[in-house]
Every structure is written in structure tokens, then in C-alpha cells.
Amino acid sequence: MNQGPRHFTEELEALKSRLLSMGGLAEERLRQALQALVDGNQALLAEVIADDARVDELRVEIDDRCLTLLALHQPVAIDLRTIMSALKINADLERVGHLAVNIGEAAQRYLRHPPVKPLIDLPRMGHLALKMLREALDAFVSRDVSLAKTVLTQDDWVDALKNQIFRELLTYMLGDPRTIEPSIDLILISRHIERAGDHATNIAEDVIFIVDARDVRHRAGSIPTSRADRETFVERRKAARVPPL
């Protein structure tokens, strides 16, 4: 039975609040994993790995909230898009939490070896992925398409840093076979960070879908047709040429 617009609005706001809690948890776990790697903090790495259940529990709770809203209120238009996107965003945030665990496990292995090189680009890459995630969630809450597009432009920067890290580590591995095993772990960590950035991009794309009812997924290699899509495409190409310092 429909319980009225006021109740629906309250439940929708509660859903957004829980989704922000999920985002904060995923962001903090990713930040802790990266900081523990830089600091060589094995205790913090073990904490990140052991605390994975909280993310899973919150994922189930938020999914239940979404399904309840759909069943009881039969929302339409932007409200329907918001709830459907919340289900997807929830899944993306869960994956970010799991990627933090993957980073923690690879970092544990890496720290058993002598350092291959100073960790400069990996923390930079992680900082950028965290920034993307935070801005994507802010865009979701405020329904800010402009901010969501800003997140999309940063995805190419993360990819460029990952490729740069791979090339540099390949040089180390070719020069000294003893660096192969720890270098592979650093490469894996860079890939996990890249995936976290991809999930932030997914969230930003969902924001555009919610507000503009446009699906902008999988369009990086295609020719945009609408004026709005062309503007997004041009912004991403321009920004990709200027990586952040």
C-alpha cells in the first residue's frame, strides 16, 4: 500500500544517508589500505582485511531499502532513476571496499621484501581515486551533473598513472630479477586503484542518468550524437591531456 509522499520522501532521504555511510566506509578502508602500504603498517593492513564484513552487511541493508521503496511506492521518473541507480552505486561501493582488501593483501606481500623504489606515483594515484570517489558521492547527493562530469574527466588521469607505474616497474624487473615478485604486487595494487577509480566513474555516470535521463556508459570510444553527450566527450578529451600534479 502506498504510504504517502511525505513518508516516501523521508525514506528516500534515509536511503541517501545510508548510501553516504557506505561511501564513507569504502573510502576510509581504501585510504587506510594505501596509507598502511606507504607507512609499512602491517597492523593496519590486517585491520583493513579483517573488517570486510561491515561493507557486506551495509550492502544488504541498502539493497533491502531500495527494494522496499520500489515495492511500496512504485516511484516514477527521477525518483525511480534515483532508486535504481542507488542499487548500482551500492554495488560499486561494495566493490571499492573489497578492492581495499585486495590492496591490503598485496601490500602485506610487498612489505616482506626490500623496497623496490620510493612510493610516489602509487600514493598520487590513490589520492586521485579517493578524490574521484568523494566527488562522485557529493554529485549524487546534490544531483550535480557538472561535478559528475568533472569526475569523468579524471578517469584518464588514473589510467595514465597506472601505465606509467607499469613501465617504471618493468624497468626495475628487467634490471634486477630480485625485484620481480614485489614489483608484481605493486602492479596489482595499481590495478586495484584503477578499478576503484572506475567505480567512481560508474557512480558519476549514474548521477548523469538520474538528473538528465541520459545513459553515458561505454561511450568513450563512440561518436556522441546529442549536444550534451558531445560536450561531455570534449570535456573528457581536453582534461585527459593535463594530468594533475
Side-chain angles (χ1 to χ4, degrees):
M1 179 182 296
N2 193 305
Q3 300 182 37
R6 180 176 178 180
H7 178 75
F8 173 75
T9 300
E10 292 172 352
E11 289 299 314
L12 191 58
E13 289 303 313
L15 170 63
K16 292 179 182 178
S17 176
R18 295 305 285 162
L19 203 55
L20 278 182
S21 297
M22 179 69 151
L25 180 59
E27 182 183 342
E28 181 60 23
R29 288 170 56 76
L30 183 58
R31 179 181 291 106
Q32 287 178 334
L34 294 167
Q35 191 62 51
L37 167 64
V38 173
D39 295 342
N41 190 335
Q42 290 279 12
L44 183 55
L45 289 173
E47 182 181 326
V48 170
I49 294 168
D51 201 26
D52 196 40
R54 281 200 300 159
V55 172
D56 296 332
E57 291 169 359
L58 199 50
R59 162 80 190 272
V60 172
E61 178 198 327
I62 292 171
D63 278 353
D64 286 344
R65 284 178 177 270
C66 290
L67 296 175
T68 299
L69 283 171
L70 290 172
L72 294 182
H73 300 280
Q74 296 89 46
V76 296
I78 193 170
D79 290 333
L80 176 59
R81 295 196 299 274
T82 298
I83 296 171
M84 295 302 296
S85 294
L87 284 166
K88 294 164 56 185
I89 292 170
N90 193 30
D92 281 310
L93 293 173
E94 181 193 34
R95 285 300 306 141
V96 172
H98 293 330
L99 287 167
V101 173
N102 294 345
I103 291 171
E105 291 172 343
Q108 283 183 328
R109 295 192 301 269
Y110 174 75
L111 292 175
R112 299 186 190 123
H113 302 271
V116 174
K117 60 181 290 294
L119 298 179
I120 298 172
D121 290 328
L122 265 179
R124 180 184 175 195
M125 187 180 177
H127 174 77
L128 181 55
L130 285 165
K131 178 174 178 288
M132 290 172 64
L133 184 61
R134 182 168 57 253
E135 290 179 349
L137 290 169
D138 288 345
F140 170 73
V141 172
S142 60
R143 293 180 175 174
D144 188 337
V145 170
S146 178
L147 183 57
K149 289 179 179 179
T150 299
V151 174
L152 298 183
T153 67
Q154 297 173 72
D155 186 47
D156 291 323
W157 299 343
V158 173
D159 293 342
L161 283 171
K162 186 203 72 171
N163 293 334
Q164 178 179 318
I165 289 168
F166 175 80
R167 289 192 298 269
E168 186 175 3
L169 289 172
L170 182 60
T171 301
Y172 280 94
M173 289 188 286
L174 291 173
D176 185 353
R178 292 172 298 179
T179 66
I180 291 176
E181 188 173 344
S183 292
I184 288 174
D185 285 320
L186 291 180
I187 290 170
L188 287 174
I189 291 171
S190 72
R191 289 182 177 177
H192 296 322
I193 297 172
E194 179 200 26
R195 288 298 300 141
D198 289 342
H199 288 297
T201 298
N202 292 347
I203 295 170
E205 290 171 343
D206 287 329
V207 172
I208 296 173
F209 172 70
I210 290 169
V211 178
D212 292 346
R214 290 191 296 122
D215 188 346
V216 296
R217 296 174 298 172
H218 313 305
R219 296 197 179 186
S222 62
I223 300 175
T225 53
S226 72
R227 177 178 179 181
D229 285 346
R230 286 197 300 272
E231 290 174 352
T232 301
F233 180 83
V234 170
E235 288 168 7
R236 294 189 68 172
R237 293 301 95 199
K238 286 181 178 178
R241 300 176 193 142
V242 188
L245 297 176

